[in-house]
PDB file of all heavy atoms in Angstrom:
ATOM      1  N   ILE A 603       5.852   3.734   3.293  1.00  0.00           N
ATOM      2  CA  ILE A 603       5.235   5.001   2.883  1.00  0.00           C
ATOM      3  C   ILE A 603       4.453   5.544   4.073  1.00  0.00           C
ATOM      4  O   ILE A 603       3.575   4.863   4.616  1.00  0.00           O
ATOM      5  CB  ILE A 603       4.288   4.800   1.687  1.00  0.00           C
ATOM      6  CG1 ILE A 603       5.058   4.257   0.467  1.00  0.00           C
ATOM      7  CG2 ILE A 603       3.575   6.102   1.330  1.00  0.00           C
ATOM      8  CD1 ILE A 603       4.166   3.852  -0.695  1.00  0.00           C
ATOM      9  N   LEU A 604       4.748   6.765   4.464  1.00  0.00           N
ATOM     10  CA  LEU A 604       4.033   7.483   5.530  1.00  0.00           C
ATOM     11  C   LEU A 604       3.284   8.645   4.902  1.00  0.00           C
ATOM     12  O   LEU A 604       3.898   9.507   4.261  1.00  0.00           O
ATOM     13  CB  LEU A 604       5.014   7.996   6.582  1.00  0.00           C
ATOM     14  CG  LEU A 604       4.463   8.999   7.609  1.00  0.00           C
ATOM     15  CD1 LEU A 604       3.358   8.382   8.456  1.00  0.00           C
ATOM     16  CD2 LEU A 604       5.595   9.530   8.499  1.00  0.00           C
ATOM     17  N   SER A 605       1.975   8.669   5.061  1.00  0.00           N
ATOM     18  CA  SER A 605       1.196   9.816   4.599  1.00  0.00           C
ATOM     19  C   SER A 605       0.527  10.510   5.770  1.00  0.00           C
ATOM     20  O   SER A 605      -0.249   9.902   6.516  1.00  0.00           O
ATOM     21  CB  SER A 605       0.122   9.407   3.591  1.00  0.00           C
ATOM     22  OG  SER A 605      -0.607  10.568   3.201  1.00  0.00           O
ATOM     23  N   GLU A 606       0.849  11.781   5.908  1.00  0.00           N
ATOM     24  CA  GLU A 606       0.138  12.685   6.823  1.00  0.00           C
ATOM     25  C   GLU A 606      -0.617  13.748   6.033  1.00  0.00           C
ATOM     26  O   GLU A 606      -1.078  14.742   6.591  1.00  0.00           O
ATOM     27  CB  GLU A 606       1.145  13.339   7.775  1.00  0.00           C
ATOM     28  CG  GLU A 606       1.891  12.335   8.633  1.00  0.00           C
ATOM     29  CD  GLU A 606       2.914  12.982   9.559  1.00  0.00           C
ATOM     30  OE1 GLU A 606       3.949  13.487   9.060  1.00  0.00           O
ATOM     31  OE2 GLU A 606       2.670  12.992  10.780  1.00  0.00           O
ATOM     32  N   SER A 607      -0.748  13.505   4.717  1.00  0.00           N
ATOM     33  CA  SER A 607      -1.344  14.496   3.831  1.00  0.00           C
ATOM     34  C   SER A 607      -2.842  14.646   4.085  1.00  0.00           C
ATOM     35  O   SER A 607      -3.547  13.667   4.309  1.00  0.00           O
ATOM     36  CB  SER A 607      -1.122  14.080   2.373  1.00  0.00           C
ATOM     37  OG  SER A 607      -1.905  14.877   1.510  1.00  0.00           O
ATOM     38  N   HIS A 608      -3.293  15.890   3.988  1.00  0.00           N
ATOM     39  CA  HIS A 608      -4.727  16.170   4.051  1.00  0.00           C
ATOM     40  C   HIS A 608      -5.378  16.023   2.683  1.00  0.00           C
ATOM     41  O   HIS A 608      -6.576  16.244   2.549  1.00  0.00           O
ATOM     42  CB  HIS A 608      -4.969  17.563   4.616  1.00  0.00           C
ATOM     43  CG  HIS A 608      -4.562  17.686   6.050  1.00  0.00           C
ATOM     44  ND1 HIS A 608      -4.575  18.881   6.741  1.00  0.00           N
ATOM     45  CD2 HIS A 608      -4.108  16.765   6.946  1.00  0.00           C
ATOM     46  CE1 HIS A 608      -4.141  18.685   7.982  1.00  0.00           C
ATOM     47  NE2 HIS A 608      -3.851  17.402   8.123  1.00  0.00           N
ATOM     48  N   GLY A 609      -4.583  15.683   1.685  1.00  0.00           N
ATOM     49  CA  GLY A 609      -5.110  15.346   0.380  1.00  0.00           C
ATOM     50  C   GLY A 609      -5.190  16.532  -0.569  1.00  0.00           C
ATOM     51  O   GLY A 609      -4.838  17.651  -0.204  1.00  0.00           O
ATOM     52  N   PRO A 610      -5.628  16.259  -1.774  1.00  0.00           N
ATOM     53  CA  PRO A 610      -5.971  14.924  -2.263  1.00  0.00           C
ATOM     54  C   PRO A 610      -4.737  14.068  -2.528  1.00  0.00           C
ATOM     55  O   PRO A 610      -3.707  14.569  -2.962  1.00  0.00           O
ATOM     56  CB  PRO A 610      -6.716  15.223  -3.576  1.00  0.00           C
ATOM     57  CG  PRO A 610      -6.130  16.525  -4.047  1.00  0.00           C
ATOM     58  CD  PRO A 610      -5.844  17.303  -2.805  1.00  0.00           C
ATOM     59  N   VAL A 611      -4.889  12.768  -2.258  1.00  0.00           N
ATOM     60  CA  VAL A 611      -3.839  11.790  -2.551  1.00  0.00           C
ATOM     61  C   VAL A 611      -4.471  10.640  -3.321  1.00  0.00           C
ATOM     62  O   VAL A 611      -5.495  10.093  -2.904  1.00  0.00           O
ATOM     63  CB  VAL A 611      -3.178  11.273  -1.257  1.00  0.00           C
ATOM     64  CG1 VAL A 611      -2.306  10.055  -1.545  1.00  0.00           C
ATOM     65  CG2 VAL A 611      -2.350  12.366  -0.604  1.00  0.00           C
ATOM     66  N   TRP A 612      -3.846  10.313  -4.453  1.00  0.00           N
ATOM     67  CA  TRP A 612      -4.222   9.137  -5.234  1.00  0.00           C
ATOM     68  C   TRP A 612      -3.032   8.191  -5.229  1.00  0.00           C
ATOM     69  O   TRP A 612      -1.944   8.543  -5.700  1.00  0.00           O
ATOM     70  CB  TRP A 612      -4.539   9.507  -6.675  1.00  0.00           C
ATOM     71  CG  TRP A 612      -5.685  10.459  -6.876  1.00  0.00           C
ATOM     72  CD1 TRP A 612      -6.987  10.146  -7.122  1.00  0.00           C
ATOM     73  CD2 TRP A 612      -5.615  11.902  -6.916  1.00  0.00           C
ATOM     74  NE1 TRP A 612      -7.729  11.284  -7.304  1.00  0.00           N
ATOM     75  CE2 TRP A 612      -6.918  12.383  -7.179  1.00  0.00           C
ATOM     76  CE3 TRP A 612      -4.574  12.827  -6.749  1.00  0.00           C
ATOM     77  CZ2 TRP A 612      -7.205  13.741  -7.285  1.00  0.00           C
ATOM     78  CZ3 TRP A 612      -4.855  14.181  -6.847  1.00  0.00           C
ATOM     79  CH2 TRP A 612      -6.159  14.626  -7.107  1.00  0.00           C
ATOM     80  N   LEU A 613      -3.211   7.003  -4.695  1.00  0.00           N
ATOM     81  CA  LEU A 613      -2.188   5.960  -4.751  1.00  0.00           C
ATOM     82  C   LEU A 613      -2.735   4.877  -5.668  1.00  0.00           C
ATOM     83  O   LEU A 613      -3.526   4.028  -5.251  1.00  0.00           O
ATOM     84  CB  LEU A 613      -1.880   5.401  -3.359  1.00  0.00           C
ATOM     85  CG  LEU A 613      -1.421   6.398  -2.295  1.00  0.00           C
ATOM     86  CD1 LEU A 613      -1.121   5.674  -0.983  1.00  0.00           C
ATOM     87  CD2 LEU A 613      -0.206   7.182  -2.757  1.00  0.00           C
ATOM     88  N   ILE A 614      -2.331   4.916  -6.924  1.00  0.00           N
ATOM     89  CA  ILE A 614      -2.918   4.087  -7.976  1.00  0.00           C
ATOM     90  C   ILE A 614      -1.871   3.063  -8.410  1.00  0.00           C
ATOM     91  O   ILE A 614      -0.835   3.417  -8.963  1.00  0.00           O
ATOM     92  CB  ILE A 614      -3.391   4.958  -9.150  1.00  0.00           C
ATOM     93  CG1 ILE A 614      -4.530   5.874  -8.673  1.00  0.00           C
ATOM     94  CG2 ILE A 614      -3.838   4.093 -10.319  1.00  0.00           C
ATOM     95  CD1 ILE A 614      -4.996   6.884  -9.685  1.00  0.00           C
TER      96      ILE A 614
END
Side-chain angles (χ1 to χ4, degrees):
I603 299 172
L604 168 62
S605 179
E606 299 179 290
S607 169
H608 294 174
V611 168
W612 299 266
L613 303 182
I614 295 174

